[in-house]
Amino acid sequence: MEKEITVLIVEDDKYISNFICMSLRQEGYRYLKTETGRGAISLCYANNPDVVILDLGLPDMDGIEVIENIRSQSDKPIIVVSARQEEGEKIRALDKGADDYVVKPFYMGELLARIRVAVRKSEKNSASMTQSFQKEYLKIDFVKRMVYIDDQEVHLTPIEYRLLVLLVSNRGKVLTHNQILNEIWGYGGGGDANSLRVFMATLRRKIEKDTTNPRFIITEVGVGYRFAEE
């Protein structure tokens, strides 16, 4: 690898943790590991890993709290690896800022593939991202992860923010429903066309002055969405 990628493993099952570590080492990744949520937060602050592999069932705190804490200071990909299979748990983790969700038991080859996808996506976003974007009354501060309408801050959920950034990064280009689902939820993730429509509707209500005649987010009927270029 041209650049050494560091993966933080947050897993209290020693067998699974050691298995992931061994596989990452064989692939040339550098790794850090911890069994606790507090350890994960500390290692994230100190080392700024490129990817976080996170179990939700930790001994000292729920993994959702860890996601929220990491997201408050980092955009680096978080891949949840959990035995929780309920759709509600997946959506909750993704909505709080996780990038992908893998259900135990899993194939290591699939997890490695998802790590590669997450790293490529993160590097692409870092390379193309400027510090801010402004179009008419909409402004996005990418450094602070804040959105403003007429200079007034607008609160977006993590998924709403990522949807907006994805559209802005591809402004003028039509993104299909599947492209957006794969980018936001990861392939095989918890998103679907219905949930995407709901998120788009709430995002429009927050940033559009006239949702019946949107200025920024344009629906391409039956295909997907695009951010207006002009």
Side-chain angles (χ1 to χ4, degrees), residues 119-131 169:
V119 169
R120 285 198 302 270
K121 192 184 303 181
S122 178
E123 289 176 343
K124 178 182 176 183
N125 289 342
S126 296
S128 62
M129 195 66 73
T130 57
Q131 289 190 332
S169 300

Side-chain angles (χ1 to χ4, degrees), residues 52 139 189:
V52 178
K139 180 180 178 181

Side-chain angles (χ1 to χ4, degrees), residues 95-108:
D95 194 30
K96 290 298 182 181
D99 294 84
D100 207 345
Y101 197 108
V102 179
V103 176
K104 297 177 183 177
F106 59 91
Y107 291 105
M108 194 62 215

